Amino acid sequence: TQLLEQSPQFLSIQEGENLTVYCNSSSVFSSLQWYRQEPGEGPVLLVTVVTGGEVKKLKRLTFQFGDARKDSSLHITAAQPGDTGLYLCAGKNGSSNTGKLIFGQGTTLQVKP
Amino acid sequence: SQTIHQWPATLVQPVGSPLSLECTVEGTSNPNLYWYRQAAGRGLQLLFYSIGIDQISSEVPQNLSASRPQDRQFILSSKKLLLSDSGFYLCAWSVQSYTEAFFGQGTRLTVV
């Protein structure tokens, strides 16, 4: 069974601080995605990374896929209260053609003004 | 553009009562469809996925069932709800063999 482990599970920081969330697995994924979810709503896709070592930037968010495609990180620079939410990583098994995603347990981020 | 509709948004049901949650997708054809359940502040557990009409795969043994009577309609059901069925249920779709999943707004189910 493939597992994705996210760390930390909970993070509370002050506005303006930087943070990094990690997503690790012992399995190789053909692609990995990051989602952000607000309370009472469905997750919204932020980014998909496909190539080992790939780095993608989305404003103050930087996403990296590990060289071996087993891990990923999300770095937020100068966090703002609007970044508060649940961040989920999800990986797709390269052998699956159903689009079935394996989700991590999530990281709850709280940014205090 | 594609949209996904899931209803109801909230539901309070007594133990032993039946359940029917509906999900429809617009603007695409032959999507992969999924039902997930989420514990508070946690990741998503895949319950069912479907690659086509009447083609349903169950990921975990449970008190729930799923059906896909039409190409873009996915239904989550139970004949008799248990307290442990309470949770946040999410429907999602993806293009066949693609990676990104797009989620509905979710249904908060409370079994009392």
Side-chain angles (χ1 to χ4, degrees), chain B residues 12 24 38 47 51 56 60 70 96 103 112:
Chain B
V12 180
T24 59
Q38 184 178 33
L47 302 177
I51 61 173
I56 312 291
V60 294
Q70 301 180 44
Q96 293 272 2
F103 288 84
V112 297

Side-chain angles (χ1 to χ4, degrees), chain A residues 11-33:
Chain A
L11 195 55
S12 181
I13 61 173
Q14 293 295 135
E15 182 176 2
E17 293 183 5
N18 301 332
L19 68 115
T20 302
V21 177
Y22 299 93
C23 179
N24 296 298
S25 175
S26 58
S27 303
V28 175
F29 290 94
S30 62
S31 66
L32 197 140
Q33 299 157 37

Side-chain angles (χ1 to χ4, degrees), chain A residues 26-47:
Chain A
S26 58
S27 303
V28 175
F29 290 94
S30 62
S31 66
L32 197 140
Q33 299 157 37
W34 285 92
Y35 294 81
R36 179 170 170 271
Q37 184 181 20
E38 298 197 14
E41 298 184 7
V44 176
L45 178 69
L46 295 174
V47 77

Side-chain angles (χ1 to χ4, degrees), chain A:
Chain A
T1 302
Q2 292 182 304
L3 291 175
L4 276 169
E5 298 199 1
Q6 283 187 241
S7 61
Q9 292 187 18
F10 184 80
L11 195 55
S12 181
I13 61 173
Q14 293 295 135
E15 182 176 2
E17 293 183 5
N18 301 332
L19 68 115
T20 302
V21 177
Y22 299 93
C23 179
N24 296 298
S25 175
S26 58
S27 303
V28 175
F29 290 94
S30 62
S31 66
L32 197 140
Q33 299 157 37
W34 285 92
Y35 294 81
R36 179 170 170 271
Q37 184 181 20
E38 298 197 14
E41 298 184 7
V44 176
L45 178 69
L46 295 174
V47 77
T48 298
V49 286
V50 178
T51 305
E54 182 177 5
V55 176
K56 282 191 174 179
K57 291 190 175 183
L58 185 65
K59 296 183 179 178
R60 294 175 292 101
L61 278 62
T62 301
F63 305 86
Q64 184 164 6
F65 202 11
D67 291 340
R69 291 184 289 133
K70 292 183 179 181
D71 55 85
S72 181
S73 64
L74 158 61
H75 182 79
I76 301 179
T77 303
Q80 299 177 2
D83 296 327
T84 294
L86 177 67
Y87 289 82
L88 296 158
C89 66
K92 182 188 174 191
N93 186 318
S95 63
S96 169
N97 64 3
T98 67
K100 185 171 64 173
L101 297 176
I102 310 290
F103 278 85
Q105 315 98 304
T107 295
T108 299
L109 172 63
Q110 181 184 52
V111 183
K112 300 176 183 177

Side-chain angles (χ1 to χ4, degrees), chain B:
Chain B
S1 62
Q2 300 87 1
T3 57
I4 179 169
H5 302 280
Q6 182 182 344
W7 68 94
T10 59
L11 192 60
V12 180
Q13 291 284 99
V15 169
S17 64
L19 172 73
S20 181
L21 302 181
E22 292 199 35
C23 173
T24 59
V25 180
E26 297 177 357
T28 188
S29 60
N30 198 28
N32 285 344
L33 295 172
Y34 310 88
W35 280 110
Y36 288 90
R37 180 167 55 201
Q38 184 178 33
R42 306 299 290 163
L44 279 63
Q45 179 187 34
L46 180 62
L47 302 177
F48 301 95
Y49 70 94
S50 171
I51 61 173
I53 294 176
D54 295 330
Q55 299 180 68
I56 312 291
S57 295
S58 174
E59 288 296 292
V60 294
Q62 57 203 314
N63 184 43
L64 303 168
S65 62
S67 61
R68 185 172 177 173
Q70 301 180 44
D71 180 47
R72 290 170 290 172
Q73 183 184 26
F74 207 23
I75 298 172
L76 184 68
S77 304
S78 174
K79 293 182 179 179
K80 290 184 177 181
L81 284 169
L82 306 173
L83 287 174
S84 58
D85 291 324
S86 294
F88 191 53
Y89 289 83
L90 288 156
C91 180
W93 74 275
S94 68
V95 177
Q96 293 272 2
S97 78
Y98 279 26
T99 58
E100 291 90 355
F102 301 94
F103 288 84
Q105 289 293 95
T107 296
R108 172 72 58 194
L109 172 66
T110 304
V111 182
V112 297

